[in-house]
Amino acid sequence: MDVLEKLTILTDAAKYDAACTSSGAKRGFRKGMIGCTSSAVAGCCHTFSADGRCVTLLKVLLTNCCVYDCKYCVNRRSNDTRRAMFTPEELADLTIQFYRRNYIEGLFLSSGVFRSPDYTTELMIRALSILRNQYRFNGYIHAKAIPGTSPELVERLGYLADRLSVNIELPSEAGLKTLAPDKTKKAILAPMGQIRNRVTANKEELVKYRHAPKFAPAGQSTQLIVGATQDSDFHILRLTQGLYDQYRLKRVFYSAYVPVVENALLPSKDVKPPLLREHRLYQADWLLRFYGFRAEELLDETTPDFNPQVDPKCSWALAHLDFFPVEVNTADYETLLRVPGVGVTSAKRILVSRRAGRLRIDDLRKLGVVMKRAQYFLTASGKMAEGLRFTPDSLLRSLIAAERSSLPQPEMEQLSLFDSAV
């Protein structure tokens, strides 16, 4: 099998991994080296950097041969699929050739577990060492730390990569035991804790020694599969909150489960991926990271799942109408962030603009406030939008209508003469 055949198989096998991001890394010019990530870059594969450039990462597996038999995974050992494996030299050469042709600016490297986590990680380290030391590659690298890998190998991997990620995959320990019996919660969390501690220690080293080597300077991330198990949104969001608090993750990614295998313990292959649910979890995740919300505020045991018709912030506002309306001329920053239609940028603009004089309703749209949502929840100089009338029921209908155009629409079906009339 030649390298291009391997590339076809192993890039296709990597497409289900959503936790591919380069945000938070800055790799400036270094004399004698090639590749330069000159600004913080966000996203995966085809993406845009902070300065507006389109950036591409090579997203590939070292191998799709795996000793694990995770029931949801297309690369599990019991699945009948074409297998391939790069040698470290092939992978390093392929990456540098892609870079020299201006196809990519960085690498996202994951792998199936070949023989053992340690053996696989050693191969990944060899490939990245060739890139960094032999080819002098200074571009962005995101590497997967495999659960169960020895701490000393995780440390070596962290000094070669800009970001590390350890995928949790399933939100509950019960789900792991059922669908991924070869994995354990302890084996997943141990490297996450090690990466957190090493990143913290490395920051202190860099304060004392400016030229100390950097350990995973862009931090760590993880991925959760949504829809493969019966875990509720509340369970997933509470786990996310704990990961941010305890392990200081940069991002938690959510991947709607795509039924690619038939198994009695998994959704049928006819079931569509829960993309809207994934979207709501990303919106809620944004509220946790930038808006000061906690998981327990957005959902609870009595309401364990998000309303698919409105975004999580609007759902919270509808359940806390006593908190509103908010007066934009006197409210503090944290209070403004709770208003639907007011984002981080528009809240800061409001604080700056009201120093020059009192704001009116007509001024808010110019500051970036999304008035089709915000108008129901705020006042300016004691006044709401002119002519606005609503009840709690009509407010819900208005918010649903405001978002309907941006949501997936039901597929059109050809009517039949033989269909019964509804």
Side-chain angles (χ1 to χ4, degrees), residues 108-381:
F108 174 89
L109 180 60
S110 185
S111 181
V113 182
F114 183 71
R115 296 191 187 176
S116 70
D118 280 359
Y119 185 82
T120 307
T121 304
E122 286 175 349
L123 293 177
M124 294 172 70
I125 289 171
R126 248 174 68 197
L128 299 188
S129 296
I130 294 170
L131 269 174
R132 292 294 195 207
N133 302 321
Q134 182 176 328
Y135 290 118
R136 311 295 290 167
F137 182 66
N138 190 45
Y140 176 83
I141 295 178
H142 180 159
K144 279 299 175 68
I146 300 172
T149 301
S150 301
E152 56 271 21
L153 292 178
V154 173
E155 183 156 348
R156 287 175 61 191
L157 190 65
Y159 279 114
L160 293 166
D162 295 275
R163 171 166 288 182
L164 295 177
S165 55
V166 186
N167 280 3
I168 292 180
E169 303 289 10
L170 299 175
S172 65
E173 194 168 7
L176 277 176
K177 289 179 180 178
T178 304
L179 299 177
D182 300 300
K183 297 179 180 179
T184 64
K185 179 181 177 182
K186 182 180 179 181
I188 294 171
L189 296 181
M192 293 179 73
Q194 179 192 351
I195 294 167
R196 173 202 59 202
N197 296 339
R198 197 67 198 87
V199 167
T200 302
N202 187 241
K203 288 179 180 178
E204 296 174 1
E205 293 169 0
L206 289 167
V207 172
K208 297 177 183 178
Y209 312 104
R210 187 176 59 172
H211 298 295
K214 295 180 180 179
F215 181 89
Q220 64 172 319
S221 58
T222 192
Q223 172 177 294
L224 296 172
I225 297 175
V226 178
T229 59
Q230 297 300 313
D231 297 296
S232 66
D233 293 342
F234 179 50
H235 179 92
I236 294 172
L237 205 62
R238 193 164 53 177
L239 172 61
T240 298
Q241 184 78 70
L243 292 172
Y244 284 136
D245 291 346
Q246 189 169 352
Y247 296 99
R248 297 193 284 277
L249 267 64
K250 292 292 185 180
R251 286 290 303 272
V252 174
F253 290 85
Y254 308 93
S255 178
Y257 174 67
V258 180
V260 292
V261 294
E262 281 289 359
N263 190 290
L265 299 173
L266 291 168
S268 167
K269 291 180 76 171
D270 296 330
V271 176
K272 294 183 179 180
L275 297 177
L276 181 54
R277 186 184 178 195
E278 175 194 279
H279 177 59
R280 295 300 182 209
L281 285 168
Y282 271 117
Q283 289 178 318
D285 182 274
W286 205 260
L287 296 180
L288 299 184
R289 291 192 293 134
F290 299 110
Y291 287 76
F293 283 85
R294 302 288 295 179
E296 296 77 12
E297 293 181 88
L298 298 172
L299 294 171
D300 53 36
E301 296 291 353
T302 58
T303 311
D305 295 301
F306 288 115
N307 181 349
Q309 295 181 300
V310 292
D311 70 74
K313 194 176 182 184
C314 286
S315 290
W316 180 86
L318 289 167
H320 297 83
L321 290 175
D322 55 317
F323 184 83
F324 302 100
V326 168
E327 172 55 51
V328 295
N329 287 293
T330 57
D332 58 25
Y333 178 68
E334 290 73 20
T335 301
L336 288 172
L337 286 180
R338 300 256 160 169
V339 178
V342 177
V344 172
T345 300
S346 54
K348 291 178 180 178
R349 288 173 179 168
I350 288 172
L351 296 180
V352 172
S353 299
R354 72 189 189 188
R355 295 175 192 165
R358 295 186 67 79
L359 297 173
R360 299 171 301 171
I361 287 292
D362 294 340
D363 299 324
L364 299 180
R365 197 182 303 275
K366 301 173 186 176
L367 299 177
V369 176
V370 182
M371 291 304 292
K372 65 181 180 181
R373 295 190 186 89
Q375 62 182 338
Y376 304 103
F377 302 101
L378 52 74
T379 59
S381 300

Side-chain angles (χ1 to χ4, degrees), residues 25-28 30 33-38 57 96 99 104-107 131-132 136-142 160-162:
K26 284 193 176 183
R27 300 189 67 88
R30 292 177 64 185
M33 302 188 76
I34 62 173
C36 175
T37 304
S38 59
L57 304 181
I96 207 68
Y99 173 78
I104 61 168
E105 292 195 42
L107 171 67
L131 269 174
R132 292 294 195 207
R136 311 295 290 167
F137 182 66
N138 190 45
Y140 176 83
I141 295 178
H142 180 159
L160 293 166
D162 295 275

Side-chain angles (χ1 to χ4, degrees), residues 58 60 90-100 104 106-107 131 137:
L58 173 61
V60 69
E90 286 175 335
L91 181 60
D93 182 68
L94 183 71
T95 303
I96 207 68
Q97 292 300 332
F98 271 46
Y99 173 78
R100 285 170 175 165
I104 61 168
L107 171 67
L131 269 174
F137 182 66

